[in-house]
Amino acid sequence: MNTLFDKIWDSHVVQVVEDGPTQLYIDRLYAHEVTSPQAFDSLRDKGIKVFRPDHVIAMPDHNTPSDQQEVINDPVGCKQVETLKANCQEFGIKHFAMGTKDNGIIHVVGPEKALSLPGMTIVCGDSHTSTHGAVGAIAMGIGTSEVAQVLASQCILQSKPKTMRINVEGQLQPGVTAKDIALYIMAQMTTSGATGYAVEYAGSTIRNLSMEGRLTLSNLSIEMGSRAGIIAPDEVTFEYLKGREYAPKGAEWDKAVEYWKTLKSDADAVFDKEVTYRAEDIAPRITYGTNPGAGIAVDECIPTLDGMSDAEKTQFTSQLEYMQFQPGQKLEGTKVDYCFLGACTNGRIEDFRAFASVVKGKKKNPDVVAWLVPGSWLVRQQIIDEGIDKILEEAGFELRLPSCSACLAMNPDKVPAGKLAISTSNRNFVGRQGPGARTVLASPLTVAASAITGVITDPRKI
């Protein structure tokens, strides 16, 4: 009667504290430059070494520029990146430095190198750690003090979340992607609908998603308030991981796969909550507000104030005022200033293939600034090897260097105040892409279509 989450969690329990948290063993800690310095300082202050440095992988990504990677001009960002390098040298941790072939966004590099594997417990001082759950792992974002716990003991104190299964059944319409599934679910459940839960995604639609699509879906779990998002490993998972740099090899691979095949919820497993959605109800999506759940189908209108309570009206109106939209407005056809393809949500090779499939043989709108940023150097090399860079170049786009880029305003790729960006990233909060910037979230197909036309565009019409 166990869920997949239960099976992995229970196999990693070291100790259960009575009326308190669980001491959970952690298989993999990822560290980037923003949240790790204080954790290393904590160890240094206490005279503690990293307990299992071979279980820790570090790389800079948030502050990394996407136009060049010779120098970081921002003194704070530069210091964070240099501090990470120094901490890794001092404590004996594997460090994938900026500009090297191993570097990229930590949540893209982990799965693509098979550092994230089924059955693992994975943590990072970053909310979008949920991404790694797509391979069939428990993956959670944690705080700085918890990062220090894991560095010191390879364990963490955590309360076990409740479990929720979200089923999506049926066949997706043309032009609908995993990003649209996630935005649809968030609009139905709200951005707090999964608070306190670990979510397992299941159903025929999920099983038919590629590994990249699953990573996108799991990435956005945190935007519903979920503690983690997980997908049972299957042949799609195994095929994706096989032969990758850190995957088991030979007999060890066969042994691992036999274990991984057991990682699924029992037929009679009981979840604390279960919901089901139909794939045919999902169209290409866009957001209109300042949270990822404030979204509509690309050809729909923003909701009106009808039927809202006074409190709901106040919050709703505040979002629209910031976004410079109106209740009942149709966003399709609205002028866009910036287009961003990338982030740990949609910075993988499949996302660039999708974008290229739309823009091939067309030209970028001259009024649009476009940032196309691979999630890793491996993805960038794949883009070049497949000739996608030539398609992009002929359409008027520039392929940039791996970085978190315009997902968040911590590097040079900032959207100016008042400008409207259509973005494949994961958050559209006030000021997320730059002070005063306005963000509409969408899939790579919708962003590509909009980059060509210069207005928010339904990709099914291109």
Short mmCIF file of all heavy atoms in Angstrom, two decimals, residues 193-253:
data_model
loop_
_atom_site.label_atom_id
_atom_site.label_comp_id
_atom_site.label_asym_id
_atom_site.label_seq_id
_atom_site.Cartn_x
_atom_site.Cartn_y
_atom_site.Cartn_z
N GLY A 193 -2.13 25.21 -3.89
CA GLY A 193 -2.98 24.01 -3.87
C GLY A 193 -2.30 22.74 -3.45
O GLY A 193 -2.96 21.78 -3.05
N ALA A 194 -0.97 22.70 -3.53
CA ALA A 194 -0.24 21.49 -3.14
C ALA A 194 0.66 21.73 -1.93
O ALA A 194 1.55 20.93 -1.64
CB ALA A 194 0.59 20.98 -4.31
N THR A 195 0.40 22.80 -1.21
CA THR A 195 1.21 23.12 -0.03
C THR A 195 1.12 21.99 1.00
O THR A 195 0.03 21.54 1.35
CB THR A 195 0.75 24.44 0.61
OG1 THR A 195 0.89 25.49 -0.35
CG2 THR A 195 1.58 24.77 1.84
N GLY A 196 2.28 21.54 1.45
CA GLY A 196 2.32 20.47 2.45
C GLY A 196 2.34 19.08 1.85
O GLY A 196 2.39 18.09 2.59
N TYR A 197 2.30 18.98 0.53
CA TYR A 197 2.27 17.68 -0.15
C TYR A 197 3.53 17.44 -0.97
O TYR A 197 4.18 18.37 -1.44
CB TYR A 197 1.09 17.60 -1.12
CG TYR A 197 -0.27 17.57 -0.47
CD1 TYR A 197 -0.97 18.76 -0.22
CD2 TYR A 197 -0.88 16.37 -0.12
CE1 TYR A 197 -2.23 18.74 0.37
CE2 TYR A 197 -2.15 16.35 0.45
CZ TYR A 197 -2.81 17.53 0.70
OH TYR A 197 -4.06 17.52 1.27
N ALA A 198 3.84 16.17 -1.15
CA ALA A 198 4.75 15.73 -2.21
C ALA A 198 3.85 15.18 -3.31
O ALA A 198 2.97 14.36 -3.05
CB ALA A 198 5.69 14.66 -1.71
N VAL A 199 4.04 15.66 -4.52
CA VAL A 199 3.16 15.32 -5.63
C VAL A 199 3.79 14.25 -6.51
O VAL A 199 4.95 14.37 -6.91
CB VAL A 199 2.84 16.56 -6.49
CG1 VAL A 199 2.13 16.18 -7.77
CG2 VAL A 199 1.99 17.55 -5.70
N GLU A 200 3.02 13.21 -6.81
CA GLU A 200 3.41 12.25 -7.84
C GLU A 200 2.55 12.52 -9.07
O GLU A 200 1.32 12.58 -8.98
CB GLU A 200 3.23 10.81 -7.39
CG GLU A 200 3.61 9.81 -8.49
CD GLU A 200 3.47 8.35 -8.10
OE1 GLU A 200 3.42 8.05 -6.89
OE2 GLU A 200 3.42 7.50 -9.01
N TYR A 201 3.20 12.68 -10.23
CA TYR A 201 2.48 12.85 -11.49
C TYR A 201 2.32 11.48 -12.14
O TYR A 201 3.29 10.71 -12.24
CB TYR A 201 3.25 13.78 -12.43
CG TYR A 201 3.41 15.19 -11.88
CD1 TYR A 201 4.60 15.58 -11.28
CD2 TYR A 201 2.38 16.12 -11.96
CE1 TYR A 201 4.77 16.86 -10.78
CE2 TYR A 201 2.53 17.40 -11.46
CZ TYR A 201 3.73 17.77 -10.88
OH TYR A 201 3.89 19.04 -10.37
N ALA A 202 1.11 11.19 -12.58
CA ALA A 202 0.83 9.87 -13.15
C ALA A 202 -0.22 10.01 -14.25
O ALA A 202 -0.72 11.10 -14.53
CB ALA A 202 0.36 8.92 -12.05
N GLY A 203 -0.54 8.90 -14.88
CA GLY A 203 -1.54 8.90 -15.94
C GLY A 203 -0.90 8.72 -17.31
O GLY A 203 0.31 8.88 -17.50
N SER A 204 -1.71 8.42 -18.30
CA SER A 204 -1.21 8.11 -19.64
C SER A 204 -0.49 9.29 -20.27
O SER A 204 0.50 9.12 -20.99
CB SER A 204 -2.37 7.66 -20.53
OG SER A 204 -3.37 8.68 -20.64
N THR A 205 -0.97 10.51 -20.03
CA THR A 205 -0.32 11.69 -20.60
C THR A 205 1.10 11.85 -20.08
O THR A 205 2.03 12.15 -20.83
CB THR A 205 -1.13 12.96 -20.27
OG1 THR A 205 -2.50 12.75 -20.59
CG2 THR A 205 -0.61 14.16 -21.04
N ILE A 206 1.28 11.62 -18.80
CA ILE A 206 2.60 11.75 -18.18
C ILE A 206 3.53 10.66 -18.70
O ILE A 206 4.70 10.91 -19.01
CB ILE A 206 2.50 11.69 -16.64
CG1 ILE A 206 1.47 12.70 -16.12
CG2 ILE A 206 3.87 11.92 -16.01
CD1 ILE A 206 1.72 14.13 -16.53
N ARG A 207 3.00 9.44 -18.82
CA ARG A 207 3.84 8.34 -19.30
C ARG A 207 4.31 8.59 -20.73
O ARG A 207 5.38 8.13 -21.13
CB ARG A 207 3.08 7.02 -19.23
CG ARG A 207 2.85 6.51 -17.80
CD ARG A 207 2.38 5.07 -17.79
NE ARG A 207 1.07 4.90 -18.43
CZ ARG A 207 -0.09 5.05 -17.82
NH1 ARG A 207 -0.12 5.40 -16.53
NH2 ARG A 207 -1.23 4.86 -18.46
N ASN A 208 3.54 9.33 -21.49
CA ASN A 208 3.90 9.61 -22.88
C ASN A 208 4.80 10.84 -23.04
O ASN A 208 5.22 11.16 -24.15
CB ASN A 208 2.64 9.79 -23.73
CG ASN A 208 1.93 8.46 -23.99
OD1 ASN A 208 2.59 7.44 -24.12
ND2 ASN A 208 0.62 8.48 -24.04
N LEU A 209 5.10 11.53 -21.95
CA LEU A 209 6.00 12.68 -22.02
C LEU A 209 7.44 12.20 -22.18
O LEU A 209 7.84 11.16 -21.65
CB LEU A 209 5.91 13.53 -20.75
CG LEU A 209 4.68 14.40 -20.54
CD1 LEU A 209 4.79 15.11 -19.19
CD2 LEU A 209 4.50 15.41 -21.66
N SER A 210 8.23 12.98 -22.90
CA SER A 210 9.67 12.73 -22.96
C SER A 210 10.29 13.04 -21.60
O SER A 210 9.65 13.61 -20.72
CB SER A 210 10.30 13.65 -24.01
OG SER A 210 10.18 15.00 -23.60
N MET A 211 11.57 12.69 -21.46
CA MET A 211 12.26 12.99 -20.20
C MET A 211 12.36 14.49 -20.00
O MET A 211 12.18 15.00 -18.88
CB MET A 211 13.65 12.38 -20.22
CG MET A 211 14.25 12.20 -18.84
SD MET A 211 13.28 11.05 -17.85
CE MET A 211 13.21 11.95 -16.33
N GLU A 212 12.63 15.24 -21.08
CA GLU A 212 12.70 16.70 -20.96
C GLU A 212 11.37 17.28 -20.51
O GLU A 212 11.33 18.20 -19.69
CB GLU A 212 13.14 17.32 -22.30
CG GLU A 212 14.61 17.15 -22.61
CD GLU A 212 14.90 15.86 -23.38
OE1 GLU A 212 13.99 15.00 -23.47
OE2 GLU A 212 16.02 15.72 -23.91
N GLY A 213 10.28 16.76 -21.05
CA GLY A 213 8.96 17.22 -20.64
C GLY A 213 8.68 16.93 -19.18
O GLY A 213 8.11 17.76 -18.45
N ARG A 214 9.09 15.78 -18.73
CA ARG A 214 8.91 15.42 -17.32
C ARG A 214 9.72 16.33 -16.40
O ARG A 214 9.26 16.70 -15.31
CB ARG A 214 9.32 13.95 -17.10
CG ARG A 214 8.45 12.95 -17.85
CD ARG A 214 8.94 11.52 -17.65
NE ARG A 214 8.17 10.58 -18.45
CZ ARG A 214 8.26 9.25 -18.36
NH1 ARG A 214 9.11 8.73 -17.48
NH2 ARG A 214 7.54 8.47 -19.13
N LEU A 215 10.93 16.67 -16.84
CA LEU A 215 11.77 17.58 -16.05
C LEU A 215 11.11 18.96 -15.94
O LEU A 215 11.14 19.58 -14.88
CB LEU A 215 13.15 17.68 -16.68
CG LEU A 215 14.03 16.43 -16.54
CD1 LEU A 215 15.16 16.43 -17.56
CD2 LEU A 215 14.60 16.32 -15.13
N THR A 216 10.50 19.42 -17.02
CA THR A 216 9.78 20.70 -17.00
C THR A 216 8.63 20.65 -16.01
O THR A 216 8.44 21.56 -15.20
CB THR A 216 9.25 21.04 -18.40
OG1 THR A 216 10.36 21.26 -19.27
CG2 THR A 216 8.37 22.28 -18.38
N LEU A 217 7.85 19.58 -16.06
CA LEU A 217 6.70 19.45 -15.18
C LEU A 217 7.12 19.40 -13.72
O LEU A 217 6.55 20.10 -12.86
CB LEU A 217 5.92 18.19 -15.56
CG LEU A 217 4.62 17.91 -14.82
CD1 LEU A 217 3.63 19.05 -15.00
CD2 LEU A 217 4.00 16.59 -15.31
N SER A 218 8.12 18.59 -13.41
CA SER A 218 8.60 18.48 -12.02
C SER A 218 9.19 19.80 -11.54
O SER A 218 9.03 20.17 -10.37
CB SER A 218 9.64 17.37 -11.91
OG SER A 218 9.08 16.11 -12.18
N ASN A 219 9.85 20.51 -12.44
CA ASN A 219 10.44 21.80 -12.10
C ASN A 219 9.41 22.75 -11.52
O ASN A 219 9.69 23.51 -10.59
CB ASN A 219 11.07 22.40 -13.37
CG ASN A 219 11.58 23.82 -13.19
OD1 ASN A 219 10.85 24.78 -13.38
ND2 ASN A 219 12.83 23.96 -12.82
N LEU A 220 8.21 22.73 -12.07
CA LEU A 220 7.18 23.69 -11.69
C LEU A 220 6.35 23.24 -10.49
O LEU A 220 5.43 23.95 -10.07
CB LEU A 220 6.28 23.98 -12.90
CG LEU A 220 6.97 24.86 -13.96
CD1 LEU A 220 6.36 24.65 -15.33
CD2 LEU A 220 6.92 26.32 -13.56
N SER A 221 6.67 22.08 -9.92
CA SER A 221 5.91 21.58 -8.76
C SER A 221 5.92 22.57 -7.61
O SER A 221 4.91 22.77 -6.93
CB SER A 221 6.49 20.24 -8.28
OG SER A 221 6.47 19.28 -9.31
N ILE A 222 7.06 23.20 -7.39
CA ILE A 222 7.20 24.14 -6.27
C ILE A 222 6.25 25.32 -6.43
O ILE A 222 5.84 25.94 -5.44
CB ILE A 222 8.67 24.62 -6.17
CG1 ILE A 222 8.90 25.45 -4.91
CG2 ILE A 222 9.09 25.40 -7.40
CD1 ILE A 222 8.77 24.69 -3.62
N GLU A 223 5.87 25.64 -7.67
CA GLU A 223 5.00 26.79 -7.90
C GLU A 223 3.56 26.53 -7.47
O GLU A 223 2.73 27.44 -7.46
CB GLU A 223 5.04 27.21 -9.37
CG GLU A 223 6.43 27.44 -9.94
CD GLU A 223 7.29 28.41 -9.13
OE1 GLU A 223 6.73 29.20 -8.35
OE2 GLU A 223 8.52 28.35 -9.28
N MET A 224 3.24 25.28 -7.11
CA MET A 224 1.93 24.97 -6.52
C MET A 224 2.05 24.85 -5.01
O MET A 224 1.08 24.48 -4.34
CB MET A 224 1.39 23.64 -7.07
CG MET A 224 1.15 23.63 -8.55
SD MET A 224 0.39 22.08 -9.10
CE MET A 224 1.69 20.90 -8.74
N GLY A 225 3.25 25.11 -4.49
CA GLY A 225 3.48 24.98 -3.06
C GLY A 225 3.94 23.60 -2.65
O GLY A 225 4.15 23.34 -1.47
N SER A 226 4.11 22.71 -3.62
CA SER A 226 4.49 21.33 -3.32
C SER A 226 5.89 21.23 -2.75
O SER A 226 6.78 22.00 -3.12
CB SER A 226 4.39 20.48 -4.58
OG SER A 226 4.87 19.17 -4.35
N ARG A 227 6.10 20.27 -1.89
CA ARG A 227 7.43 20.03 -1.32
C ARG A 227 8.33 19.36 -2.34
O ARG A 227 9.54 19.56 -2.36
CB ARG A 227 7.29 19.14 -0.08
CG ARG A 227 8.48 19.14 0.84
CD ARG A 227 8.60 20.42 1.63
NE ARG A 227 9.85 20.46 2.38
CZ ARG A 227 11.01 20.90 1.88
NH1 ARG A 227 11.07 21.34 0.66
NH2 ARG A 227 12.09 20.94 2.63
N ALA A 228 7.75 18.53 -3.18
CA ALA A 228 8.51 17.80 -4.19
C ALA A 228 7.55 17.33 -5.27
O ALA A 228 6.35 17.19 -5.04
CB ALA A 228 9.23 16.60 -3.56
N GLY A 229 8.09 17.09 -6.46
CA GLY A 229 7.33 16.50 -7.55
C GLY A 229 8.08 15.28 -8.03
O GLY A 229 9.30 15.33 -8.21
N ILE A 230 7.39 14.17 -8.25
CA ILE A 230 8.07 12.93 -8.58
C ILE A 230 7.31 12.18 -9.67
O ILE A 230 6.07 12.24 -9.73
CB ILE A 230 8.25 12.05 -7.30
CG1 ILE A 230 9.18 10.88 -7.56
CG2 ILE A 230 6.91 11.58 -6.77
CD1 ILE A 230 9.59 10.16 -6.26
N ILE A 231 8.04 11.50 -10.52
CA ILE A 231 7.45 10.68 -11.59
C ILE A 231 8.11 9.31 -11.55
O ILE A 231 9.35 9.22 -11.50
CB ILE A 231 7.64 11.34 -12.97
CG1 ILE A 231 6.92 12.70 -13.01
CG2 ILE A 231 7.13 10.43 -14.10
CD1 ILE A 231 7.20 13.52 -14.26
N ALA A 232 7.33 8.27 -11.57
CA ALA A 232 7.88 6.91 -11.50
C ALA A 232 8.80 6.63 -12.68
O ALA A 232 8.44 6.91 -13.83
CB ALA A 232 6.75 5.89 -11.46
N PRO A 233 9.99 6.10 -12.43
CA PRO A 233 10.90 5.79 -13.53
C PRO A 233 10.37 4.65 -14.38
O PRO A 233 9.74 3.71 -13.87
CB PRO A 233 12.20 5.41 -12.82
CG PRO A 233 11.77 4.93 -11.46
CD PRO A 233 10.56 5.74 -11.11
N ASP A 234 10.62 4.73 -15.68
CA ASP A 234 10.19 3.69 -16.62
C ASP A 234 11.19 3.61 -17.76
O ASP A 234 12.30 4.14 -17.65
CB ASP A 234 8.76 3.96 -17.12
CG ASP A 234 8.63 5.33 -17.80
OD1 ASP A 234 9.68 5.95 -18.11
OD2 ASP A 234 7.49 5.78 -18.03
N GLU A 235 10.81 2.97 -18.86
CA GLU A 235 11.75 2.80 -19.97
C GLU A 235 12.22 4.14 -20.53
O GLU A 235 13.35 4.26 -21.02
CB GLU A 235 11.12 1.95 -21.08
CG GLU A 235 10.91 0.50 -20.69
CD GLU A 235 12.20 -0.22 -20.29
OE1 GLU A 235 13.26 0.10 -20.88
OE2 GLU A 235 12.15 -1.07 -19.37
N VAL A 236 11.36 5.16 -20.48
CA VAL A 236 11.75 6.50 -20.94
C VAL A 236 12.91 7.02 -20.07
O VAL A 236 13.89 7.56 -20.58
CB VAL A 236 10.56 7.48 -20.89
CG1 VAL A 236 11.00 8.91 -21.18
CG2 VAL A 236 9.48 7.05 -21.87
N THR A 237 12.79 6.82 -18.77
CA THR A 237 13.83 7.24 -17.83
C THR A 237 15.13 6.50 -18.09
O THR A 237 16.21 7.10 -18.17
CB THR A 237 13.37 6.98 -16.38
OG1 THR A 237 12.00 7.31 -16.23
CG2 THR A 237 14.21 7.77 -15.39
N PHE A 238 15.01 5.18 -18.20
CA PHE A 238 16.22 4.35 -18.36
C PHE A 238 16.94 4.70 -19.66
O PHE A 238 18.17 4.79 -19.69
CB PHE A 238 15.86 2.86 -18.32
CG PHE A 238 15.00 2.47 -17.15
CD1 PHE A 238 14.09 1.41 -17.25
CD2 PHE A 238 15.07 3.14 -15.93
CE1 PHE A 238 13.29 1.05 -16.19
CE2 PHE A 238 14.27 2.79 -14.86
CZ PHE A 238 13.37 1.73 -14.98
N GLU A 239 16.18 4.89 -20.74
CA GLU A 239 16.78 5.20 -22.03
C GLU A 239 17.49 6.56 -21.98
O GLU A 239 18.55 6.74 -22.58
CB GLU A 239 15.70 5.22 -23.11
CG GLU A 239 16.22 5.41 -24.53
CD GLU A 239 17.14 4.30 -24.99
OE1 GLU A 239 16.96 3.15 -24.53
OE2 GLU A 239 18.05 4.59 -25.80
N TYR A 240 16.90 7.49 -21.24
CA TYR A 240 17.50 8.82 -21.10
C TYR A 240 18.81 8.75 -20.34
O TYR A 240 19.80 9.41 -20.70
CB TYR A 240 16.52 9.75 -20.38
CG TYR A 240 17.07 11.13 -20.07
CD1 TYR A 240 17.03 12.15 -21.01
CD2 TYR A 240 17.63 11.42 -18.82
CE1 TYR A 240 17.54 13.41 -20.73
CE2 TYR A 240 18.13 12.67 -18.52
CZ TYR A 240 18.08 13.67 -19.48
OH TYR A 240 18.59 14.91 -19.18
N LEU A 241 18.86 7.96 -19.27
CA LEU A 241 20.02 7.94 -18.38
C LEU A 241 21.15 7.05 -18.90
O LEU A 241 22.32 7.29 -18.61
CB LEU A 241 19.60 7.45 -16.99
CG LEU A 241 18.67 8.37 -16.19
CD1 LEU A 241 18.17 7.66 -14.94
CD2 LEU A 241 19.38 9.67 -15.82
N LYS A 242 20.82 6.04 -19.68
CA LYS A 242 21.81 5.04 -20.09
C LYS A 242 22.97 5.67 -20.87
O LYS A 242 22.75 6.45 -21.80
CB LYS A 242 21.15 3.96 -20.95
CG LYS A 242 22.06 2.77 -21.23
CD LYS A 242 21.32 1.65 -21.93
CE LYS A 242 22.22 0.43 -22.10
NZ LYS A 242 21.49 -0.68 -22.77
N GLY A 243 24.18 5.35 -20.46
CA GLY A 243 25.36 5.83 -21.15
C GLY A 243 25.82 7.22 -20.75
O GLY A 243 26.87 7.68 -21.22
N ARG A 244 25.04 7.91 -19.92
CA ARG A 244 25.46 9.25 -19.51
C ARG A 244 26.62 9.16 -18.53
O ARG A 244 26.89 8.13 -17.93
CB ARG A 244 24.27 10.02 -18.93
CG ARG A 244 23.23 10.35 -20.01
CD ARG A 244 22.08 11.20 -19.52
NE ARG A 244 21.12 11.44 -20.61
CZ ARG A 244 21.14 12.50 -21.41
NH1 ARG A 244 22.05 13.44 -21.24
NH2 ARG A 244 20.24 12.63 -22.37
N GLU A 245 27.32 10.27 -18.38
CA GLU A 245 28.63 10.29 -17.75
C GLU A 245 28.71 9.58 -16.40
O GLU A 245 29.62 8.79 -16.14
CB GLU A 245 29.11 11.74 -17.61
CG GLU A 245 30.53 11.88 -17.13
CD GLU A 245 31.01 13.31 -17.17
OE1 GLU A 245 30.27 14.20 -17.67
OE2 GLU A 245 32.13 13.57 -16.70
N TYR A 246 27.76 9.86 -15.52
CA TYR A 246 27.83 9.31 -14.17
C TYR A 246 26.84 8.16 -13.94
O TYR A 246 26.65 7.72 -12.81
CB TYR A 246 27.61 10.41 -13.13
CG TYR A 246 28.76 11.40 -13.08
CD1 TYR A 246 28.76 12.56 -13.85
CD2 TYR A 246 29.87 11.16 -12.28
CE1 TYR A 246 29.81 13.46 -13.81
CE2 TYR A 246 30.93 12.05 -12.23
CZ TYR A 246 30.89 13.20 -13.00
OH TYR A 246 31.94 14.09 -12.96
N ALA A 247 26.22 7.67 -15.00
CA ALA A 247 25.30 6.54 -14.87
C ALA A 247 26.08 5.27 -14.57
O ALA A 247 27.24 5.13 -14.98
CB ALA A 247 24.50 6.37 -16.16
N PRO A 248 25.47 4.33 -13.87
CA PRO A 248 26.15 3.03 -13.66
C PRO A 248 26.48 2.39 -15.02
O PRO A 248 25.77 2.61 -16.00
CB PRO A 248 25.11 2.21 -12.89
CG PRO A 248 24.18 3.22 -12.28
CD PRO A 248 24.14 4.37 -13.23
N LYS A 249 27.53 1.59 -15.05
CA LYS A 249 27.96 0.96 -16.29
C LYS A 249 27.97 -0.56 -16.15
O LYS A 249 28.15 -1.10 -15.06
CB LYS A 249 29.38 1.44 -16.67
CG LYS A 249 29.54 2.95 -16.80
CD LYS A 249 28.78 3.53 -17.96
CE LYS A 249 29.14 4.99 -18.24
NZ LYS A 249 28.84 5.92 -17.16
N GLY A 250 27.79 -1.25 -17.30
CA GLY A 250 27.90 -2.71 -17.34
C GLY A 250 26.93 -3.41 -16.42
O GLY A 250 25.72 -3.12 -16.41
N ALA A 251 27.47 -4.36 -15.62
CA ALA A 251 26.62 -5.14 -14.71
C ALA A 251 25.95 -4.25 -13.67
O ALA A 251 24.82 -4.53 -13.24
CB ALA A 251 27.45 -6.23 -14.03
N GLU A 252 26.63 -3.18 -13.29
CA GLU A 252 26.05 -2.25 -12.31
C GLU A 252 24.81 -1.56 -12.87
O GLU A 252 23.86 -1.28 -12.14
CB GLU A 252 27.09 -1.20 -11.89
CG GLU A 252 28.20 -1.75 -11.02
CD GLU A 252 27.67 -2.34 -9.72
OE1 GLU A 252 26.86 -1.68 -9.04
OE2 GLU A 252 28.05 -3.48 -9.39
N TRP A 253 24.83 -1.29 -14.17
CA TRP A 253 23.65 -0.70 -14.82
C TRP A 253 22.46 -1.66 -14.75
O TRP A 253 21.36 -1.29 -14.36
CB TRP A 253 23.95 -0.33 -16.27
CG TRP A 253 22.72 0.05 -17.05
CD1 TRP A 253 22.00 -0.75 -17.89
CD2 TRP A 253 22.03 1.31 -17.02
NE1 TRP A 253 20.92 -0.07 -18.39
CE2 TRP A 253 20.92 1.20 -17.88
CE3 TRP A 253 22.26 2.52 -16.35
CZ2 TRP A 253 20.02 2.25 -18.09
CZ3 TRP A 253 21.37 3.57 -16.56
CH2 TRP A 253 20.27 3.44 -17.41
#
